[in-house]
Amino acid sequence: MVIAGVIPIALLAGERKRLYKRRAEVNREAVSREERNRTVLEWQAAWDEEPRGRWTARLIKDVSISIRRSFGEVDFYLTQLLSGHGLFRAYLKRMGKEAQEDCIYCPPVKGDAYHTFFFVCVKGGVAYEEI
């Protein structure tokens, strides 16, 4: 949900409930903004405490960035990188699709999203450099 920039339905339902209770207030636009900010703060708190998705949380620390992003496009490749669930040998081994988790270019280093994103490998060697 964070990668897609879509607020979880349970939080949206809470926001809608609060908006309904405040429907009699005069400045509806301000109320709407206030409740959306509250929803985003609740989502951020849940995101900070969530034990899953820590790789994604290292890259997207603030959920409001995903919601308010007005540039770029989330596609197949970016989703793989941001989630760590993709054509990475470590992930494929975890899914039972690959025998080794080592990077094919610089074994014995683990071939995961972190390694793919932050390191430059040298084919056939163990030398690599952090970008």
mmCIF file of all heavy atoms in Angstrom, residues 11-32:
data_model
loop_
_atom_site.group_PDB
_atom_site.id
_atom_site.type_symbol
_atom_site.label_atom_id
_atom_site.label_comp_id
_atom_site.label_asym_id
_atom_site.label_seq_id
_atom_site.Cartn_x
_atom_site.Cartn_y
_atom_site.Cartn_z
ATOM 1 N N LEU A 11 -8.136 2.627 7.560
ATOM 2 C CA LEU A 11 -7.864 4.021 7.933
ATOM 3 C C LEU A 11 -8.806 4.975 7.200
ATOM 4 O O LEU A 11 -9.276 5.959 7.776
ATOM 5 C CB LEU A 11 -6.406 4.374 7.643
ATOM 6 C CG LEU A 11 -5.372 3.653 8.501
ATOM 7 C CD1 LEU A 11 -3.958 3.978 8.040
ATOM 8 C CD2 LEU A 11 -5.545 4.017 9.964
ATOM 9 N N LEU A 12 -9.088 4.681 5.925
ATOM 10 C CA LEU A 12 -10.032 5.520 5.176
ATOM 11 C C LEU A 12 -11.431 5.446 5.774
ATOM 12 O O LEU A 12 -12.140 6.457 5.836
ATOM 13 C CB LEU A 12 -10.078 5.088 3.712
ATOM 14 C CG LEU A 12 -8.928 5.560 2.840
ATOM 15 C CD1 LEU A 12 -9.072 5.003 1.435
ATOM 16 C CD2 LEU A 12 -8.836 7.070 2.816
ATOM 17 N N ALA A 13 -11.827 4.258 6.217
ATOM 18 C CA ALA A 13 -13.144 4.115 6.847
ATOM 19 C C ALA A 13 -13.226 4.953 8.120
ATOM 20 O O ALA A 13 -14.241 5.613 8.372
ATOM 21 C CB ALA A 13 -13.414 2.646 7.152
ATOM 22 N N GLY A 14 -12.165 4.946 8.919
ATOM 23 C CA GLY A 14 -12.129 5.780 10.125
ATOM 24 C C GLY A 14 -12.210 7.252 9.785
ATOM 25 O O GLY A 14 -12.907 8.029 10.465
ATOM 26 N N GLU A 15 -11.511 7.651 8.724
ATOM 27 C CA GLU A 15 -11.547 9.049 8.285
ATOM 28 C C GLU A 15 -12.957 9.441 7.853
ATOM 29 O O GLU A 15 -13.464 10.493 8.240
ATOM 30 C CB GLU A 15 -10.579 9.245 7.126
ATOM 31 C CG GLU A 15 -10.568 10.642 6.555
ATOM 32 C CD GLU A 15 -9.621 10.797 5.389
ATOM 33 O OE1 GLU A 15 -8.513 10.217 5.430
ATOM 34 O OE2 GLU A 15 -9.998 11.491 4.430
ATOM 35 N N ARG A 16 -13.595 8.589 7.074
ATOM 36 C CA ARG A 16 -14.964 8.876 6.614
ATOM 37 C C ARG A 16 -15.945 8.970 7.789
ATOM 38 O O ARG A 16 -16.857 9.795 7.797
ATOM 39 C CB ARG A 16 -15.432 7.803 5.630
ATOM 40 C CG ARG A 16 -14.611 7.698 4.376
ATOM 41 C CD ARG A 16 -15.018 8.746 3.353
ATOM 42 N NE ARG A 16 -14.048 8.875 2.293
ATOM 43 C CZ ARG A 16 -14.030 8.166 1.179
ATOM 44 N NH1 ARG A 16 -14.936 7.234 0.993
ATOM 45 N NH2 ARG A 16 -13.113 8.390 0.265
ATOM 46 N N LYS A 17 -15.746 8.125 8.772
ATOM 47 C CA LYS A 17 -16.605 8.151 9.959
ATOM 48 C C LYS A 17 -16.447 9.484 10.696
ATOM 49 O O LYS A 17 -17.431 10.113 11.099
ATOM 50 C CB LYS A 17 -16.255 6.984 10.883
ATOM 51 C CG LYS A 17 -17.101 6.900 12.120
ATOM 52 C CD LYS A 17 -16.703 5.708 12.973
ATOM 53 C CE LYS A 17 -17.508 5.633 14.243
ATOM 54 N NZ LYS A 17 -17.085 4.486 15.081
ATOM 55 N N ARG A 18 -15.188 9.911 10.858
ATOM 56 C CA ARG A 18 -14.937 11.185 11.534
ATOM 57 C C ARG A 18 -15.515 12.356 10.730
ATOM 58 O O ARG A 18 -16.077 13.292 11.300
ATOM 59 C CB ARG A 18 -13.439 11.373 11.771
ATOM 60 C CG ARG A 18 -12.844 10.417 12.785
ATOM 61 C CD ARG A 18 -11.409 10.749 13.135
ATOM 62 N NE ARG A 18 -10.522 10.889 12.003
ATOM 63 C CZ ARG A 18 -9.799 9.901 11.465
ATOM 64 N NH1 ARG A 18 -9.891 8.667 11.965
ATOM 65 N NH2 ARG A 18 -8.997 10.127 10.447
ATOM 66 N N LEU A 19 -15.390 12.292 9.399
ATOM 67 C CA LEU A 19 -15.953 13.347 8.547
ATOM 68 C C LEU A 19 -17.472 13.398 8.676
ATOM 69 O O LEU A 19 -18.065 14.476 8.716
ATOM 70 C CB LEU A 19 -15.561 13.121 7.081
ATOM 71 C CG LEU A 19 -14.123 13.466 6.718
ATOM 72 C CD1 LEU A 19 -13.799 12.973 5.320
ATOM 73 C CD2 LEU A 19 -13.870 14.956 6.844
ATOM 74 N N TYR A 20 -18.092 12.245 8.747
ATOM 75 C CA TYR A 20 -19.549 12.196 8.892
ATOM 76 C C TYR A 20 -19.985 12.838 10.218
ATOM 77 O O TYR A 20 -20.950 13.606 10.254
ATOM 78 C CB TYR A 20 -20.056 10.752 8.806
ATOM 79 C CG TYR A 20 -21.545 10.641 8.930
ATOM 80 C CD1 TYR A 20 -22.370 10.983 7.856
ATOM 81 C CD2 TYR A 20 -22.132 10.223 10.118
ATOM 82 C CE1 TYR A 20 -23.743 10.911 7.966
ATOM 83 C CE2 TYR A 20 -23.510 10.142 10.243
ATOM 84 C CZ TYR A 20 -24.306 10.481 9.170
ATOM 85 O OH TYR A 20 -25.669 10.415 9.278
ATOM 86 N N LYS A 21 -19.267 12.520 11.273
ATOM 87 C CA LYS A 21 -19.596 13.095 12.581
ATOM 88 C C LYS A 21 -19.418 14.613 12.598
ATOM 89 O O LYS A 21 -20.085 15.311 13.357
ATOM 90 C CB LYS A 21 -18.740 12.455 13.676
ATOM 91 C CG LYS A 21 -19.147 11.045 14.009
ATOM 92 C CD LYS A 21 -18.268 10.487 15.096
ATOM 93 C CE LYS A 21 -18.692 9.084 15.472
ATOM 94 N NZ LYS A 21 -17.854 8.524 16.538
ATOM 95 N N ARG A 22 -18.542 15.121 11.760
ATOM 96 C CA ARG A 22 -18.250 16.560 11.734
ATOM 97 C C ARG A 22 -18.954 17.276 10.578
ATOM 98 O O ARG A 22 -18.612 18.402 10.242
ATOM 99 C CB ARG A 22 -16.736 16.767 11.636
ATOM 100 C CG ARG A 22 -15.982 16.229 12.841
ATOM 101 C CD ARG A 22 -14.500 16.441 12.710
ATOM 102 N NE ARG A 22 -14.189 17.866 12.753
ATOM 103 C CZ ARG A 22 -12.952 18.359 12.611
ATOM 104 N NH1 ARG A 22 -11.930 17.548 12.432
ATOM 105 N NH2 ARG A 22 -12.741 19.661 12.654
ATOM 106 N N ARG A 23 -19.923 16.652 9.957
ATOM 107 C CA ARG A 23 -20.579 17.181 8.754
ATOM 108 C C ARG A 23 -21.271 18.522 8.983
ATOM 109 O O ARG A 23 -21.467 19.289 8.042
ATOM 110 C CB ARG A 23 -21.543 16.166 8.168
ATOM 111 C CG ARG A 23 -22.765 15.900 9.001
ATOM 112 C CD ARG A 23 -23.603 14.749 8.436
ATOM 113 N NE ARG A 23 -24.777 14.480 9.238
ATOM 114 C CZ ARG A 23 -24.783 13.774 10.351
ATOM 115 N NH1 ARG A 23 -23.662 13.245 10.802
ATOM 116 N NH2 ARG A 23 -25.900 13.581 11.020
ATOM 117 N N ALA A 24 -21.632 18.832 10.210
ATOM 118 C CA ALA A 24 -22.341 20.085 10.504
ATOM 119 C C ALA A 24 -21.401 21.283 10.603
ATOM 120 O O ALA A 24 -21.866 22.426 10.603
ATOM 121 C CB ALA A 24 -23.135 19.932 11.802
ATOM 122 N N GLU A 25 -20.104 21.026 10.669
ATOM 123 C CA GLU A 25 -19.156 22.143 10.793
ATOM 124 C C GLU A 25 -19.136 22.968 9.512
ATOM 125 O O GLU A 25 -19.294 22.441 8.410
ATOM 126 C CB GLU A 25 -17.765 21.613 11.137
ATOM 127 C CG GLU A 25 -17.699 20.997 12.532
ATOM 128 C CD GLU A 25 -16.301 20.558 12.925
ATOM 129 O OE1 GLU A 25 -15.329 21.185 12.470
ATOM 130 O OE2 GLU A 25 -16.199 19.588 13.688
ATOM 131 N N VAL A 26 -18.907 24.256 9.655
ATOM 132 C CA VAL A 26 -19.020 25.197 8.546
ATOM 133 C C VAL A 26 -17.928 25.010 7.487
ATOM 134 O O VAL A 26 -18.225 24.875 6.308
ATOM 135 C CB VAL A 26 -19.006 26.653 9.082
ATOM 136 C CG1 VAL A 26 -19.037 27.642 7.945
ATOM 137 C CG2 VAL A 26 -20.159 26.870 10.040
ATOM 138 N N ASN A 27 -16.699 25.014 7.891
ATOM 139 C CA ASN A 27 -15.598 24.958 6.928
ATOM 140 C C ASN A 27 -15.258 23.495 6.595
ATOM 141 O O ASN A 27 -14.326 22.913 7.143
ATOM 142 C CB ASN A 27 -14.380 25.688 7.485
ATOM 143 C CG ASN A 27 -13.332 25.916 6.419
ATOM 144 O OD1 ASN A 27 -13.377 25.337 5.345
ATOM 145 N ND2 ASN A 27 -12.385 26.779 6.735
ATOM 146 N N ARG A 28 -15.995 22.917 5.666
ATOM 147 C CA ARG A 28 -15.855 21.506 5.325
ATOM 148 C C ARG A 28 -14.489 21.190 4.705
ATOM 149 O O ARG A 28 -13.942 20.117 4.922
ATOM 150 C CB ARG A 28 -16.976 21.067 4.400
ATOM 151 C CG ARG A 28 -18.334 21.097 5.097
ATOM 152 C CD ARG A 28 -19.478 20.848 4.142
ATOM 153 N NE ARG A 28 -19.493 19.514 3.592
ATOM 154 C CZ ARG A 28 -20.208 18.507 4.064
ATOM 155 N NH1 ARG A 28 -20.973 18.703 5.111
ATOM 156 N NH2 ARG A 28 -20.182 17.334 3.486
ATOM 157 N N GLU A 29 -13.952 22.122 3.959
ATOM 158 C CA GLU A 29 -12.648 21.903 3.322
ATOM 159 C C GLU A 29 -11.545 21.789 4.378
ATOM 160 O O GLU A 29 -10.685 20.916 4.302
ATOM 161 C CB GLU A 29 -12.343 23.039 2.349
ATOM 162 C CG GLU A 29 -11.153 22.755 1.465
ATOM 163 C CD GLU A 29 -10.977 23.823 0.409
ATOM 164 O OE1 GLU A 29 -11.952 24.133 -0.304
ATOM 165 O OE2 GLU A 29 -9.847 24.344 0.309
ATOM 166 N N ALA A 30 -11.577 22.651 5.369
ATOM 167 C CA ALA A 30 -10.590 22.603 6.452
ATOM 168 C C ALA A 30 -10.752 21.321 7.266
ATOM 169 O O ALA A 30 -9.761 20.693 7.664
ATOM 170 C CB ALA A 30 -10.727 23.828 7.354
ATOM 171 N N VAL A 31 -11.984 20.919 7.516
ATOM 172 C CA VAL A 31 -12.262 19.691 8.254
ATOM 173 C C VAL A 31 -11.711 18.495 7.482
ATOM 174 O O VAL A 31 -11.073 17.611 8.052
ATOM 175 C CB VAL A 31 -13.779 19.530 8.523
ATOM 176 C CG1 VAL A 31 -14.102 18.137 9.025
ATOM 177 C CG2 VAL A 31 -14.252 20.588 9.500
ATOM 178 N N SER A 32 -11.945 18.491 6.190
ATOM 179 C CA SER A 32 -11.465 17.394 5.339
ATOM 180 C C SER A 32 -9.942 17.302 5.372
ATOM 181 O O SER A 32 -9.372 16.211 5.501
ATOM 182 C CB SER A 32 -11.952 17.611 3.909
ATOM 183 O OG SER A 32 -11.535 16.569 3.086
#
